[in-house]
Amino acid sequence: MGSEKCIYRVERMRMRCRLFAVVLPSLALSLLLLAVWLPQPWSRPWTRPLRPESNPKRPVRVLFYNTHAGTRANAAYVSQRLGLTFAHFDPDVVKGAWEMNADQSRELINAGYARLVCDSADVVIVSDTFPHARALVESLLVADQEKQCNTTIIAELTNRFDWGLEENRGHGDAIAFHKNLWQIQQHDHLRSRILWTANNPLEAQHLANMAAITPEFRLLRPTGYSSLPGVFVPKEEAELVAVYPMDGRLQSPILYILDQLQIPHKVLPKKYGGPHTLKQYKAFIEIPYQVSTMKLYENLAAGVVMLIPTARFLRELILKDLTFFYPIYDLYCTNSGHEPDWSVFMDYYHRDLSPYMYYFDSWEQLKQLATSNNPIDTRNVRQRGSHYYETTIRNKTLHGWASLFNGLGYKDIRVDGYSLRADLVDPPFRARLPDAPRLPTNLAREAWRPLVGWQARAVERVRGLRGEFHASLTGLELGAMQLRRWIKEENPGKEVIVRLPSWLENVDAELVEHIDALDRWRVGQTTVPYVKWSLIQSFTQFVEKAETVSEHSYLAFTKFARMARISQTIINNEELLATISASNQNLNVSQLLTRTLDTSLRLAYPWLLTMNIDIGLAEERGIVIVNFGDVYAKPLQIIMHLRYNLHCDLPIELFYNGYGGFEAGKFLTMSKVPGVHTRNLNDIYLKLSEYNDRIEHLKAFAILASKFKEVIYVDADTLLLQNPSQLLDNSKSFLTTGVFMLKSPSFAEGHSQWLPWFLGGQELVSETARHGRHFQNLSETELHPGLMAFDKTRMGVFHGILAGCHLSRKNVWSSTFTRFFGMRTLMHFGKKAEQSYRQQCGQRFILDWNGARSHQISSD
């Protein structure tokens, strides 16, 4: 018996050592302070009864397990009104606690962390981010009872029970957590250990949809209490609508839209003073990024006049990617195959709260509300809203918490010392189970596959809707996507995003005028082309300090690309440079233009700096083929066809992405074909993988790297019926524009909003393009990429190829274009059967950068 006690003590000491090896030293300090603060120390026998009846005089010990300041302030208010004292513990002091993964949870459980924390209180309230307490929850499933959390856990969900797991820990880790909660719910003695509450109606349904469980929930909305003192707002400023510049984690596009619509507004600083500051303004505009926020309840309780987009309009903004909204997939899981009921699951539209908010259904209606001389607050929300929230929502929340503690056996918990009012306590509710084909009955992967597939279909539905909505983006909305956050600057060790000044946002027409004037100039001409030097100087001075430009900033890119085109056109023409310099003797034209060119190329085309060779033009005309992966037969077939059937003796460059694209023997065989040169693009672009991750997006890069002045590009799967060199000799299009392409059949309607927006305005679209089928939204594509030709000696064509490389960059085609415009495939530089308008715009942009206008290329 003595030896057993000794073994027990040794094992207990080992467990403690493991715990403090896993947990940061600050955790030990926090728990020590917690032990001193609590009415009774936590270092007592492990087998303490869960219920307090054994010591009715001892006050209930509540541990508030939380990292979020807003929910912590709400808990402090609740505890004060209930006469309780909550001890706060921040799990951030635990290594790996943030969105805890399964391995860290298991390690903490084995080290005794869960038991140690739960021994410190009678009730542990896990608030806001539930995975922080993953070790406490999953300890209920371990066989060793000495390592289990042995107290009641109250889950106060505010932002989904599995917040951050799939995004940051992986899909498999999230499913593992779902399975563990499902397993707990299958056992009466385990599920009674977790009580579920939520501050919004979506939480319960999301738990049901992800974990196939429907425990009882209590809806306990935040009290809306804010202790922040309001900041005085001057009378002139109080007549404006206020807007906060962030939509959760990014700068809100609404700032751009308010500017463009000329709506007077006040942009609030980060620490603006809370609801008691907001209520002094004419109204507060909010584009929700969650189904509920602490700010919403605080504003309602303070009587803030809020302008919110209608559910219909918010859905449109979300699916157009004009605003960031965390739970869009969660909402679409609530009503599989149909539109979600926003008024049920989102408190911004819930019938309990909607009478105390004002809604706008379009940007035009927002402008009307914000600029009208008539008062916005026709329902006297400033007084009635505050009174309603205090007497109804707040009272329900306080009595709901009191009722919850009463149910745990703590009958003396009251609100402000008064008896519990049952009429103010909403009954618990359960969500409905998801309508998946089959719900899991065990933990096997196959048992969960139908539910996971059902969840995935909801995600696919949202992605499909995004594609549809992207097609209806207006020019105003496309501009808002840029968020006016185009240039990143180096600033004390970190990148800071700044706005382009208004004078630089609207210079497209002037830049085009410069390009057209320079293109019209001919050798021997005495008239000096129009150049606005003040614009070039200001531009260069502003952008020289920029480190890089976001790949998604199309409007910034067009300006840098056009400025590079202007400066290089002048520098490369000695007579033109001399003529301009002679008329501007007070200005070092050559030095300024060199600075402008270097900066513009660095920002628009950073990958140029990684090229291992100069872009030389050693041979007159040749054929370029790009090998797609380990596909040997197709390029060999087209080469043999060119040589022996079409009698084409032009030199051929066969580009590939790394030696992995060929087997060694086949590679050597291909190199022995007369007039064929194999070239590895990774040897040319030293950081190609950083800028391009798909073989089929290498066309523009291969054409640029080619040694030919006149490049004939042939797809490896294109069957030619005529010698392509003869085709060019007889092509009017190639002789006049330096570009040859064939028209392509079209199978669907297009959307032309992107073209004028990208080029800088409706007036910059050529007359020819305006009358084309594509610009009239009659077709998606009109050009075929299987056979193309480019004269790289022409400045406009050369810069068009550079632009094609940019549009083929990894994060441009795969992220921005697919996310913004819902395209299934993107080949900016001539890809067969493009799926959407943006590709066509990109093609035309490439095809005729001359004059920076979009032109329809006619077939020959």
Side-chain angles (χ1 to χ4, degrees):
M1 193 69 179
S3 62
E4 290 178 357
K5 289 183 179 180
C6 181
I7 292 172
Y8 175 77
R9 290 194 185 98
V10 170
E11 287 301 315
R12 187 170 173 179
M13 289 175 63
R14 286 177 178 172
M15 184 168 65
R16 294 283 180 123
C17 290
R18 287 198 304 271
L19 172 64
F20 288 104
V22 172
V23 180
L24 294 173
S26 52
L27 170 61
L29 177 61
S30 297
L31 288 176
L32 180 61
L33 293 174
L34 178 61
V36 173
W37 183 91
L38 284 173
Q40 179 175 326
W42 49 261
S43 55
R44 58 189 182 285
W46 295 91
T47 55
R48 173 182 58 80
L50 286 175
R51 298 295 183 181
E53 284 78 5
S54 59
N55 188 2
K57 295 182 179 180
R58 178 175 57 78
V60 58
R61 296 166 301 172
V62 182
L63 179 63
F64 194 68
Y65 197 93
N66 167 270
T67 64
H68 187 267
T71 50
R72 189 160 64 246
N74 181 71
Y77 180 79
V78 170
S79 65
Q80 178 189 1
R81 297 286 298 269
L82 267 57
L84 292 171
T85 305
F86 288 4
H88 173 244
F89 176 68
D90 187 343
D92 265 351
V93 301
V94 182
K95 181 181 178 181
W98 188 260
E99 296 151 359
M100 188 180 294
N101 64 24
D103 292 338
Q104 181 67 8
S105 171
R106 191 178 306 110
E107 188 175 0
L108 287 171
I109 293 169
N110 291 335
Y113 167 78
R115 184 57 177 257
L116 185 64
V117 170
C118 292
D119 263 353
S120 68
D122 302 303
V123 176
V124 177
I125 301 176
V126 180
S127 179
D128 193 55
T129 307
F130 193 60
H132 287 351
R134 185 169 183 171
L136 275 62
V137 174
E138 293 183 336
S139 74
L140 301 178
L141 294 172
V142 300
D144 187 352
Q145 293 187 5
E146 294 298 325
K147 295 179 181 178
Q148 288 184 2
C149 176
N150 62 341
T151 193
T152 301
I153 297 173
I154 297 178
E156 184 187 20
L157 303 184
T158 67
N159 62 355
R160 310 316 84 76
F161 76 96
D162 53 357
W163 174 259
L165 289 185
E166 181 165 347
E167 180 180 354
N168 299 318
R169 305 303 182 193
H171 186 60
D173 191 78
I175 292 179
F177 188 51
H178 299 166
K179 288 181 176 181
N180 285 336
L181 291 176
W182 178 89
Q183 192 174 359
I184 289 171
Q185 197 66 16
Q186 307 312 305
H187 304 280
D188 292 339
H189 70 288
L190 294 181
R191 65 168 170 259
S192 62
R193 305 277 283 276
I194 304 177
L195 301 180
W196 298 90
T197 75
N199 78 349
N200 69 82
L202 180 60
E203 305 297 340
Q205 191 59 54
H206 178 68
L207 178 63
N209 290 341
M210 297 296 112
I213 58 176
T214 58
E216 280 193 346
F217 264 84
R218 291 165 176 82
L219 181 61
L220 300 174
R221 289 190 172 98
T223 61
Y225 174 76
S226 174
S227 60
L228 283 174
V231 177
F232 173 73
V233 177
K235 181 179 179 181
E236 298 77 13
E237 190 177 304
E239 294 176 355
L240 301 175
V241 293
V243 60
Y244 188 67
M246 309 298 287
D247 66 1
R249 69 179 184 184
L250 300 173
Q251 185 171 339
S252 173
I254 193 176
L255 299 181
Y256 178 88
I257 291 172
L258 292 174
D259 285 345
Q260 295 298 309
L261 293 179
Q262 298 182 337
I263 299 176
H265 61 280
K266 167 65 177 178
V267 179
L268 298 168
K270 184 175 183 179
K271 296 183 178 180
Y272 57 83
H276 299 297
T277 299
L278 293 183
K279 68 182 181 182
Q280 300 175 62
Y281 286 96
K282 181 177 182 178
F284 173 63
I285 303 172
E286 183 175 3
I287 311 293
Y289 62 89
Q290 270 282 18
V291 293
S292 67
T293 60
M294 299 301 291
K295 177 173 58 181
L296 167 66
Y297 306 110
E298 291 172 0
N299 289 344
L300 287 166
V304 175
V305 177
M306 288 182 283
L307 296 177
I308 312 291
T310 62
R312 185 212 66 80
F313 191 40
L314 179 65
R315 172 179 176 268
E316 178 184 326
L317 298 180
I318 295 167
L319 295 175
K320 285 182 174 180
D321 282 305
L322 282 168
T323 191
F324 182 72
F325 189 76
Y326 283 100
I328 185 61
Y329 298 123
D330 305 334
L331 270 175
Y332 270 84
C333 272
T334 62
N335 197 7
S336 179
H338 304 281
E339 284 301 311
D341 192 337
W342 297 69
S343 65
V344 170
F345 295 107
M346 189 164 175
D347 267 357
Y348 284 88
Y349 308 109
H350 199 279
R351 61 181 180 273
D352 291 350
L353 306 172
S354 59
Y356 303 96
M357 286 176 271
Y358 295 93
Y359 299 95
F360 57 93
D361 198 48
S362 65
W363 298 123
E364 291 72 21
Q365 189 176 4
L366 172 62
K367 181 175 182 178
Q368 182 181 359
L369 286 168
T371 59
S372 173
N373 292 327
N374 298 323
I376 294 176
D377 190 16
T378 56
R379 299 196 297 270
N380 194 20
V381 165
R382 294 186 195 275
Q383 279 76 42
R384 292 180 59 245
S386 178
H387 176 76
Y388 167 78
Y389 205 88
E390 167 64 35
T391 58
T392 305
I393 303 299
R394 183 177 290 170
N395 269 338
K396 280 188 174 185
T397 295
L398 293 171
H399 285 269
W401 277 109
S403 173
L404 188 60
F405 278 101
N406 285 183
L408 289 172
Y410 303 102
K411 303 296 185 181
D412 57 337
I413 303 300
R414 301 179 177 185
V415 179
D416 298 331
Y418 295 99
S419 299
L420 181 69
R421 284 184 54 185
D423 61 310
L424 288 176
V425 179
D426 288 334
F429 69 96
R430 295 181 188 270
R432 67 177 186 278
L433 285 168
D435 56 353
R438 214 167 46 251
L439 295 178
T441 56
N442 56 62
L443 297 176
R445 177 180 295 182
E446 288 302 318
W448 284 76
R449 194 182 300 277
L451 178 62
V452 173
W454 174 84
Q455 297 162 359
R457 284 191 291 276
V459 173
E460 287 303 314
R461 173 166 166 73
V462 173
R463 290 174 177 168
L465 288 170
R466 277 200 163 115
E468 296 174 16
F469 274 82
H470 289 157
S472 63
L473 282 160
T474 66
L476 172 67
E477 292 167 337
L478 286 164
M481 279 185 175
Q482 302 299 298
L483 303 181
R484 303 176 75 183
R485 305 180 341 159
W486 295 337
I487 298 181
K488 298 179 181 178
E489 289 185 312
E490 191 70 21
N491 186 47
K494 64 178 181 180
E495 288 184 338
V496 177
I497 298 173
V498 298
R499 293 184 178 186
L500 284 180
S502 58
W503 62 265
L504 188 51
E505 289 183 21
N506 303 305
V507 297
D508 299 279
E510 286 188 275
L511 295 179
V512 169
E513 187 178 350
H514 281 71
I515 293 172
D516 287 346
L518 292 172
D519 284 348
R520 287 192 298 267
W521 190 86
R522 296 292 180 267
V523 175
Q525 190 172 325
T526 57
T527 305
V528 180
Y530 166 77
V531 178
K532 187 176 180 180
W533 294 109
S534 61
L535 172 61
I536 294 179
Q537 285 178 311
S538 299
F539 171 87
T540 304
Q541 290 171 0
F542 179 77
V543 301
E544 272 184 328
K545 60 186 178 182
E547 180 192 10
T548 186
V549 176
S550 170
E551 301 129 325
H552 304 156
S553 300
Y554 295 104
L555 298 189
F557 165 76
T558 58
K559 292 164 180 59
F560 299 136
R562 282 168 172 160
M563 196 62 83
R565 166 85 155 86
I566 292 168
S567 52
Q568 189 169 18
T569 298
I570 299 174
I571 290 173
N572 282 20
N573 190 320
E574 294 182 1
E575 187 169 343
L576 175 59
L577 178 61
T579 301
I580 292 177
S581 298
S583 62
N584 296 273
Q585 296 184 3
N586 61 338
L587 181 68
N588 191 330
V589 173
S590 178
Q591 184 184 68
L592 173 61
L593 290 177
T594 300
R595 287 168 52 203
T596 305
L597 178 61
D598 289 347
T599 301
S600 300
L601 290 176
R602 175 175 60 82
L603 293 174
Y605 311 114
W607 44 268
L608 276 176
L609 303 177
T610 70
M611 290 192 71
N612 194 31
I613 62 169
D614 292 330
I615 303 175
L617 301 177
E619 301 184 52
E620 286 295 327
R621 181 181 290 180
I623 294 172
V624 166
I625 300 172
V626 177
N627 181 67
F628 295 142
D630 190 16
V631 182
Y632 172 74
K634 285 186 176 181
L636 182 61
Q637 185 179 40
I638 189 64
I639 289 171
M640 295 296 101
H641 177 62
L642 286 166
R643 287 286 186 261
Y644 299 109
N645 294 334
L646 301 182
H647 307 291
C648 177
D649 57 0
L650 290 176
I652 297 173
E653 290 180 317
L654 179 61
F655 288 89
Y656 61 96
N657 186 6
Y659 288 94
F662 287 104
E663 295 178 13
K666 295 178 179 178
F667 177 81
L668 294 174
T669 301
M670 195 76 77
S671 300
K672 293 178 180 179
V673 177
V676 175
H677 305 278
T678 54
R679 302 184 65 189
N680 185 353
L681 282 165
N682 283 278
D683 293 338
I684 300 171
Y685 303 96
L686 299 183
K687 295 184 179 180
L688 183 65
S689 61
E690 294 182 15
Y691 298 106
N692 194 296
D693 61 350
R694 295 286 296 276
I695 292 172
E696 59 264 38
H697 299 138
L698 294 173
K699 295 181 181 181
F701 291 95
I703 292 169
L704 180 68
S706 171
K707 297 179 180 179
F708 306 133
K709 295 178 182 178
E710 295 180 353
V711 177
I712 301 174
Y713 175 83
V714 181
D715 256 348
D717 58 356
T718 297
L719 180 62
L720 300 177
L721 302 179
Q722 182 181 350
N723 188 323
S725 187
Q726 297 173 0
L727 205 61
L728 289 196
D729 292 337
N730 300 319
S731 169
K732 296 179 182 179
S733 172
F734 188 74
L735 292 174
T736 56
T737 67
V739 175
F740 173 87
M741 289 192 81
L742 298 173
K743 282 193 173 182
S744 172
S746 180
F747 303 101
E749 296 179 358
H751 175 65
S752 61
Q753 284 282 357
W754 202 82
L755 175 57
W757 171 80
F758 182 63
L759 294 178
Q762 188 85 10
E763 68 279 5
L764 300 183
V765 180
S766 71
E767 193 67 23
T768 304
R770 290 183 196 180
H771 289 91
R773 287 177 53 82
H774 186 71
F775 193 77
Q776 297 178 61
N777 299 330
L778 298 175
S779 65
E780 285 183 335
T781 176
E782 296 177 46
L783 304 176
H784 196 284
L787 176 64
M788 305 180 289
F790 304 92
D791 183 354
K792 290 166 55 178
T793 64
R794 303 194 188 207
M795 188 64 68
V797 175
F798 177 75
H799 276 266
I801 295 169
L802 287 176
C805 291
H806 170 76
L807 293 173
S808 298
R809 286 176 64 181
K810 180 190 300 185
N811 289 331
V812 177
W813 73 262
S814 66
S815 177
T816 306
F817 271 47
T818 53
R819 179 160 48 90
F820 283 4
F821 306 106
M823 299 188 306
R824 302 186 298 276
T825 310
L826 191 65
M827 299 299 170
H828 307 291
F829 202 79
K831 172 69 177 173
K832 56 187 176 183
E834 299 93 340
Q835 272 72 39
S836 163
Y837 178 76
R838 271 61 56 183
Q839 300 153 272
Q840 185 69 19
C841 170
Q843 276 188 339
R844 293 177 177 171
F845 181 60
I846 295 162
L847 292 178
D848 195 0
W849 191 252
N850 266 316
R853 284 188 164 86
S854 166
H855 290 277
Q856 178 74 29
I857 304 301
S858 59
S859 63
D860 295 281

